[in-house]
Every structure is written in structure tokens, then in C-alpha cells.
Amino acid sequence: MNAPTTTRPTGGLHIGLWVAQVLLAVAFGMSGAMKLVTPIDQLAEKMTWIASTGPLVRFIGLSEVAGALGMLLPSALRIKPVLTPVAALGFVVIMVLAGGVHASRGEFGVIGANVVLGGLAAFVAFGRLKKAPIPPK
């Protein structure tokens, strides 16, 4: 009997996933850091939804920064790399909720960014869970 053959994902898929992971880490890392360090009154001038949320904004910022770290570190270090698609799924949830908030406020112009970032996150989640998982050390 022959040993079963396993198919390996293409190098292009790995590269595409890494590019998406870096883009998501940068986007959410910067957004989260801004929500963590900028005074609430200054944030409220730019994002009107923040005025009524106070501590929730800090929690969202912390979640985004943690997700940005989770997008890169587990895969790069190969320590619990399954945490990368978990972080990506968290970003999908954040983008769905953000899209809902923007839609309820009539801010339809920014929903496109939610769709793009959510789509990238879904690509990473599916890719790292099913198509090109990174093996742990």
C-alpha cells in the first residue's frame, strides 16, 4: 500500500495570507492604539459615536491592539499559531458590529471599509484554519 499523499498549499497562498495578516495588523494596531491613547473628547470630535460610549472605546481599542498582535505573533513565532485565525475571526465580528453601528447612524460611506477589512479577516481565518495552517513548533 502506498502512503497517503498530502497536498501542500502553494507559496502564493502563504504569501497572500501573510500580506493580509500584515495589513490587518497595521490597520487594527493603529486604530486600536489611537483609541487607547487619545483623550475621549478629541476622539469624539472625529468619531461622533464615541461621545456616548466612554470606556467601551478603550475596550475596543484594547481588543484591536490585542488582535493585531494575534494576527502576527502566533504565526511568526509558531507558538499556538491557531490563535491567528481566532484573532481574524474576532476582527470579522468587530467589522460586522462596526458596520451595524455605521448603518444605524446613516454613515453608509464607511461601511465599505468594514466590508474590505472584514473580508480580509475572513480570508485569513479560512486560509489559516483550512487551506494553509501554520504548524506549531
Side-chain angles (χ1 to χ4, degrees), residues 61-115:
L62 183 63
S63 299
E64 290 176 347
V65 169
L69 293 173
M71 195 58 42
L72 298 177
L73 293 179
S75 291
L77 300 175
R78 293 179 45 192
I79 299 172
K80 302 258 185 207
V82 72
L83 293 176
T84 294
V86 170
L89 289 171
F91 284 159
V92 170
V93 170
I94 289 172
M95 288 298 94
V96 167
L97 295 173
V101 168
H102 292 303
S104 72
R105 298 178 53 79
E107 301 167 343
F108 298 105
V110 295
I111 293 177
N114 299 135
V115 170

Side-chain angles (χ1 to χ4, degrees), residues 16-36:
L17 286 165
W18 273 111
V19 168
Q21 286 173 240
V22 169
L23 289 173
L24 288 166
V26 169
F28 282 98
M30 290 173 44
S31 174
M34 179 185 67
K35 289 175 183 128
L36 281 175

